[in-house]
Structure formats: structure tokens, C-alpha cells
Amino acid sequence: MCKKLSELIFNSISDGVFTVDDKCRITSFNLAAEKITGFKALEAVGKHCFDVFRTEICHMQCALKDTLRRHDPVENVRVTIITRDGREVPISVTTTLLKDENGTAVGAVEFFRDVSEVEHLRNKLEEKQALSEIVSVSSAMQGLISMLPDIAESECNVLILGPSGSGKELFAQVIHNLSPRRYGPYIKLNCAALPETLLESELFGYTKGAFTDAKRDKPGQFSLANDGTLLLDEISEMAVALQVKLLRVLNDGEYRPLGSAKTLHTNARIIAATNTNPEELIAEGRFREDLYYRLNVVAIQIPPLRDRPEDIPLLVNHYLKRFQKKSRKKIQGISSDAIAVLKKCPFPGNVRELENAIEHAFVMCHDDEILVEHLPQHVVALSASNGTTRRAAMTEKESILGALERSHGNKSRAAIELGMHRSTLWRKIKTLGIAS
């Protein structure tokens, strides 16, 4: 009766539970263990635990073996097992020693639970937090944002294109934060900030005596970024000779530190960013075509802020909250007139320039609301000139639409009426976004 009761309790526990003898052979296996692993108790009992669980640590750092050897319990170790049907399942493991009535160790017991759902929810939360760093409501940006989890998970090379200040670094950081490498190093290197020789030593490292000031060995960024991500910002500024060496790293992960005959290996994921058009640089002979295609596994083209003015109010609110935390001023908001000025500004410096404009306004404002007069003068001037340009463009657009309507869509007749060449009309129709 006592034995039946103990079996009933054993099989009613929601966690997987099994026991082993001092040789790590399974001696009992409950129903929850069967459900999680896919192995029946009849299949598991008598086998070594590593034949059933097949985890990555079974032969290296087994929790049960540690408990049997040291007589110390192990608590909440996260491992991945392979089920009977070949699925990978993350579990949390706790082990403790089994003793007989004389206090002699006769084996060990392991309690484990499936943490798939917990990890799924945690990953979703981390993904949401990472993506929330990119502030945007524009459809173009939302399309890019929706791609980031898949890009991050793939671990492929990524090329991020966009004008200065548009947020290329932020996209790279989010890709790293969403990737399986999120707990590894994230290293940023600006290729435009260093001359060729220094950039080479920074990337590949050097050995003692490689040059006059090399007093000791120094690891390069490829070494430091192992198991993580290396962002090569402004990669278009890298010298062609150095591009050849970078291509070798991308092809087979191999490189040599300066002054060394030894080949090292890196598994760093490479994300490259540039504010120029690589294809134009290729035509000019300043960028290697083979390197471009090796980097361009996935390309992300970030649109300039002038093409997404609908993001400006959201970004302004984001920066207001940031500066409110840093400042002692009691600034609560921004006037609608100031927002209107900001929405008309083309912002050649993009998001970074907008952030600077709000910080400037925080410095100049001594009331509870930011007004137009608190904004940088060059932003107000750019806004005014851009507004004039937009109105001129709208007038031209209206003239073309009127001519097309009167000519019933005949572009040759419309061009004659407007006093311009037909090819000029075609170009203006495309530039002004007129449905043809």
C-alpha cells in the first residue's frame, strides 16, 4: 500500500522526475518525464541518462554527475534536451543526492520542467522592448521594423543604408539585441574615424614588435566580437586594400593579426552601414563589387526624415520625455506652431538633427511649453524655405493636372499647352507623384 501510494505521488508531480543509481543509470521515470521527453518509462529505465536526454552538457558538465561526485545539489540549471522525436526543448534542472537509511549515497534524483513557454514569452517581451527603441509610425519604417526579428534570427550579414543621422546605428543595435547573440559582445567601429593603418590594426589586432609602438600583443575587434556582433559603420570609407582582407574574413572567418604568421578565426557577425550609394562607389573604383555582394545578403534602406514627416510629432514627444528626465526644467510640451515648423523642415541631419533641435529648445525655453522662438534659427529658416518650395511644387503640380485633364490624358498635347518638351513633362509627372 505504501509503495502504491509513493508511486501515485511520484506520477502525480507536474515536473519531470527521474532517479539514477551511482552509475547514472535511470532507475525510475515518472509520467511527466515521459510527456516532456517522449520516452516511456519502460524505454528509459536501465539506460544511462545521457542516452535519454542527449543534452549538450551530458558528457561535459552533467548536473547529476556533479551531484554524485560532490554530494552537492544543483539548482535551476538551464539545458536543452532532444526529445524522442528529435525536437529541442529547453528545460530547467534541479538535482539532489539520494541516500539509503544509513546515509550512504546510492544515487541521485533530478527534477526538470519544460520552460519553452516561459522562454517564448521572455523572447517576445525582449523583442517588443528592442523594437520599441525605433520610434516611427510611417508605413515605410513599419515595413522595415517588421523584418528585423527575422533578420536578427538569421545571423546573416546585413548592410544598412541611409543618410547620416537617420538611425543606422540604432537598427544595428536592435538587430543584435534580437539575435541569438544578444548576450555576446556588441562592438561598433567607425571606419571613417581612423587612417588605414590604424583601422587595420584595430580590426585585426597586432603582435608585440609588429611596429615601433607595439610593446605587447593586442587583440583586434574581430577577436573581441567573437560570439557577438561587429558593426562596421561608414564602411564605404575603408581603403580598397583593406577591403580585400575584410572579404577574406567574410568568406571563411580567417584573419591574421599584424606581425603574426598565425591565422586566427572569428565567428563575429558583421553588420555594415554607410550613408553613400555603394553602387556608385563601385563604378568609381572605390568599393569592391565582391565585398558589396558579400555584405549585401540583406539590405535595409532607412528613409530620410524628410520623407516621413508623420514621424516628427512622435519623435518630438520621445525626445521631450528623455530631456524631461535629464533636466530640472518643468517643460511639459511643445506648441502646435512649433510642431508645424518642425514638420516643414527637411532636416538634412535627419533624426539626429531633430534630437539636437529639441535639446536646443530645452536650453532656450524657460516656460512650460516650447514655442517657435525656442527652436534653432537654422531649423526655422529651413522650414520657411522648404514651405515655399513645397507651395511652388504644388502650384506646378496643379498646372500639370489641369493640362492633363483638359487634354483628356494626352501628354503630348498637355506638354504643348504647358510649353515644355514631352520628356520634361514625363519627368515632372514622375517627380511630383502624378498618377499617369
Side-chain angles (χ1 to χ4, degrees):
M1 181 69 180
C2 186
K3 184 179 178 181
K4 286 185 179 180
L5 180 60
S6 62
E7 286 180 358
L8 184 63
I9 294 171
F10 183 64
N11 284 312
S12 66
I13 298 172
S14 59
D15 285 359
V17 184
F18 69 97
T19 57
V20 297
D21 60 21
D22 59 355
K23 304 296 184 185
C24 272
R25 288 189 296 259
I26 296 173
T27 54
S28 63
F29 205 73
N30 79 343
L31 289 175
E34 290 185 344
K35 183 178 179 181
I36 295 170
T37 66
F39 286 92
K40 295 295 184 183
L42 288 173
E43 297 174 286
V45 171
K47 289 184 178 179
H48 287 95
C49 61
F50 54 76
D51 291 326
V52 174
F53 288 86
R54 300 176 286 177
T55 78
E56 71 275 17
I57 67 168
C58 278
H59 296 285
M60 297 179 293
Q61 193 181 352
C62 175
L64 276 172
K65 286 180 179 177
D66 281 351
T67 296
L68 286 168
R69 184 171 60 252
R70 299 175 184 173
H71 291 197
D72 291 329
V74 173
E75 294 186 5
N76 297 321
V77 174
R78 193 272 190 205
V79 298
T80 300
I81 65 170
I82 300 173
T83 64
R84 195 178 193 282
D85 59 2
R87 291 181 301 109
E88 291 188 353
V89 175
I91 63 171
S92 176
V93 168
T94 296
T95 65
T96 191
L97 201 64
L98 282 178
K99 298 178 181 179
D100 62 17
E101 61 273 11
N102 298 317
T104 304
V106 294
V109 59
E110 178 173 309
F111 300 84
F112 64 99
R113 65 180 56 186
D114 184 346
V115 293
S116 301
E117 186 62 28
V118 173
E119 293 202 352
H120 175 72
L121 292 172
R122 184 187 296 122
N123 290 339
K124 282 294 182 184
L125 180 60
E126 288 178 353
E127 178 180 312
K128 185 177 180 180
Q129 288 172 336
L131 294 176
S132 68
E133 293 297 314
I134 304 174
V135 179
S136 178
V137 292
S138 79
S139 56
M141 288 288 282
Q142 287 300 314
L144 294 179
I145 292 168
S146 68
M147 293 164 49
L148 292 183
D150 289 334
I151 293 171
E153 189 67 29
S154 72
E155 296 202 69
C156 64
N157 296 332
V158 180
L159 181 61
I160 304 177
L161 306 167
S164 295
S166 58
K168 298 187 292 297
E169 267 193 36
L170 178 58
F171 268 76
Q173 178 75 68
V174 169
I175 290 170
H176 172 76
N177 291 349
L178 292 175
S179 76
R181 298 168 177 260
R182 63 176 71 93
Y183 302 114
Y186 174 68
I187 296 174
K188 299 179 287 185
L189 185 63
N190 190 322
C191 300
L194 297 169
E196 181 182 350
T197 52
L198 284 180
L199 180 58
E200 184 174 2
S201 66
E202 191 68 23
L203 281 171
F204 302 115
Y206 54 79
T207 58
K208 181 180 178 181
F211 46 85
T212 304
D213 294 328
K215 306 298 184 186
R216 56 182 177 80
D217 291 354
K218 180 181 180 295
Q221 301 300 342
F222 282 121
S223 174
L224 297 174
N226 260 323
D227 299 323
T229 304
L230 176 59
L231 169 63
L232 298 178
D233 198 10
E234 304 303 346
I235 194 169
S236 55
E237 299 300 314
M238 183 181 288
V240 175
L242 193 50
Q243 292 176 27
V244 177
K245 295 182 179 181
L246 173 59
L247 186 61
R248 183 187 179 193
V249 180
L250 293 173
N251 285 335
D252 52 29
E254 293 182 348
Y255 68 97
R256 285 184 183 177
L258 296 182
S260 174
K262 185 179 179 181
T263 298
L264 300 182
H265 189 272
T266 181
N267 69 353
R269 181 187 193 175
I270 306 300
I271 299 178
T274 180
N275 60 4
T276 57
N277 185 336
E279 293 179 358
E280 290 179 2
L281 298 178
I282 291 168
E284 296 169 7
R286 293 167 53 199
F287 202 79
R288 290 182 62 93
E289 188 172 20
D290 48 4
L291 176 60
Y292 170 62
Y293 289 118
R294 195 71 181 83
L295 289 169
N296 191 23
V297 177
V298 173
I300 297 173
Q301 179 77 56
I302 303 176
L305 187 56
R306 66 175 178 272
D307 290 348
R308 44 189 180 100
E310 65 271 33
D311 281 344
I312 287 176
L314 196 67
L315 285 163
V316 167
N317 187 52
H318 176 72
Y319 296 136
L320 279 174
K321 289 179 180 177
R322 178 183 296 177
F323 295 127
Q324 281 167 349
K325 290 177 182 178
K326 294 168 62 176
S327 172
R328 294 182 179 180
K329 292 185 175 182
K330 296 181 179 180
I331 298 172
Q332 299 301 316
I334 184 169
S335 71
S336 56
D337 287 345
I339 285 287
V341 168
L342 292 172
K343 288 183 76 172
K344 288 179 184 177
C345 182
F347 284 110
N350 293 288
V351 177
R352 188 182 297 130
E353 186 180 5
L354 174 61
E355 180 181 2
N356 290 343
I358 301 303
E359 186 170 14
H360 173 97
F362 249 81
V363 173
M364 303 308 295
C365 180
H366 298 285
D367 299 312
D368 60 356
E369 185 179 55
I370 292 173
L371 305 175
V372 173
E373 65 232 43
H374 300 134
L375 297 174
Q377 285 304 305
H378 78 276
V379 168
V380 177
L382 280 171
S383 177
S385 62
N386 193 49
T388 303
T389 303
R390 285 182 182 179
R391 285 191 293 275
M394 285 304 298
T395 302
E396 185 175 38
K397 185 175 183 178
E398 289 163 2
S399 298
I400 292 172
L401 284 170
L404 287 170
E405 186 178 352
R406 288 187 291 275
S407 66
H408 303 289
N410 187 309
K411 296 179 180 62
S412 296
R413 283 190 295 179
I416 293 169
E417 180 184 330
L418 293 165
M420 63 178 69
H421 195 275
R422 191 171 186 271
S423 61
T424 304
L425 176 61
W426 270 102
R427 189 175 68 253
K428 289 184 178 291
I429 285 172
K430 185 177 180 181
T431 302
L432 296 170
I434 298 171
S436 53

